[in-house]
Amino acid sequence: MYFGKKRKTNLSDRVPPNQNVTTTFPVLHAGNVPYYENISKWNLQIYGLVEHPKLYSLDEMMSLFPQEERTNDIHCVTGWSKLDTSWQGVSTRELVKDINIHPNARYVILHAEEGWTTNLSIEDFLKESSLLAYSFNNEPLTPEHGYPLRGVFPHLYFWKSAKWLRGIQFTEHNHPGFWERNGYHMEGDPWKEERFSFD
Ligand SMILES: Nc1nc2c(c(=O)[nH]1)N[C@H]1C(S)=C(S)[C@@H](COP(=O)(O)O)O[C@H]1N2
Ligand SMILES: [Mo]
């Protein structure tokens, strides 16, 4: 008989309203999965309202910053949630130590391949759970899931978690990204069901 502390088993505490848990890992995106002939030519550009704009190679992302791990539940606006996903990469809080954000910067635009973008507030970007991930379950990201680098912002609907990340732009104003221009919510908190900006 087990008398230990009762585990939190009530799924409704973990799964936001109108979401269903899946054990698969759906692949969802607009556009094409990029193919990198030579990954040493890949870079991540940090720019906008920052004191030290940067261009990092993948090697630099993996060596200049400590590797950190985050295990969290993810929630796609189309209705699936996946529990206990485990990602490894660079903490956004570590990254910004290297670039010094200008005090006027209040938002970020994440730029992905093919011009895909999404926007989030600095507070969301810098949450403890936020990660720039290069690995999932200690394996490099697969091409469909964002190789070589993606954002993971698990406290927001998963569309904010840009795959194939190439740029992080710090801005004063909140500029809608790809889905946000098409009616998706500017913040996207799954617990408040911030799916769309109308209704
Ligand atoms: N570059 C890019 N990133 C993207 C998207 C996209 O269309 N392009 N779609 C988003 C959406 S809607 C979701 S649900 C997740 C899906 O990530 P997955 O395919 O790894 O499950 O990626 C997000 N990141
Ligand atoms: Mo999504």
Side-chain angles (χ1 to χ4, degrees):
M1 188 106 193
Y2 177 66
F3 292 106
K5 200 171 154 197
K6 191 166 180 272
R7 281 196 61 213
K8 209 182 198 183
T9 50
N10 189 352
L11 269 186
S12 66
D13 290 349
R14 282 186 70 175
V15 183
N18 297 306
Q19 293 292 115
N20 294 296
V21 173
T22 179
T23 52
T24 67
F25 197 170
V27 170
L28 223 83
H29 53 260
N32 303 297
V33 175
Y35 167 73
Y36 299 99
E37 179 90 40
N38 181 355
I39 201 61
S40 67
K41 290 188 182 149
W42 178 94
N43 56 38
L44 176 70
Q45 189 183 358
I46 317 288
Y47 63 110
L49 297 176
V50 298
E51 207 173 303
H52 307 298
K54 296 270 177 170
L55 207 50
Y56 297 112
S57 68
L58 186 58
D59 276 352
E60 288 172 326
M61 286 301 286
M62 298 173 83
S63 60
L64 292 180
F65 306 99
Q67 176 174 307
E68 298 194 31
E69 178 164 81
R70 301 282 185 277
T71 301
N72 283 297
D73 305 339
I74 55 179
H75 312 289
C76 172
V77 72
T78 61
W80 57 267
S81 291
K82 186 172 174 62
L83 305 182
D84 296 318
T85 64
S86 176
W87 306 87
Q88 297 76 33
V90 176
S91 136
T92 53
R93 293 182 182 182
E94 281 295 323
L95 181 92
V96 299
K97 288 184 192 165
D98 207 24
I99 59 173
N100 285 343
I101 305 170
H102 194 277
N104 286 358
R106 293 178 50 221
Y107 298 94
V108 301
I109 304 173
L110 304 178
H111 294 264
E113 296 290 356
E114 298 193 340
W116 192 92
T117 56
T118 190
N119 56 296
L120 61 173
S121 69
I122 292 264
E123 291 72 29
D124 285 326
F125 180 76
L126 293 178
K127 250 189 139 55
E128 171 66 31
S129 52
S130 298
L131 199 68
L132 305 177
Y134 44 72
S135 294
F136 176 78
N137 285 345
N138 292 302
E139 298 286 345
L141 296 181
T142 61
E144 316 73 68
H145 288 299
Y147 175 84
L149 188 79
R150 76 176 299 165
V152 181
F153 305 97
H155 66 293
L156 302 174
Y157 281 122
F158 208 38
W159 90 75
K160 300 281 185 181
S161 292
K163 304 195 274 191
W164 316 302
L165 190 60
R166 293 298 305 273
I168 302 175
Q169 180 185 3
F170 290 82
T171 63
E172 181 174 357
H173 301 290
N174 197 4
H175 303 279
F178 178 85
W179 286 119
E180 293 82 2
R181 285 196 296 276
N182 287 283
Y184 280 47
H185 200 277
M186 292 294 264
E187 275 98 55
D189 180 342
W191 296 96
K192 298 188 201 154
E193 277 202 85
E194 292 176 339
R195 297 172 193 271
F196 307 107
S197 53
F198 40 87
D199 76 37

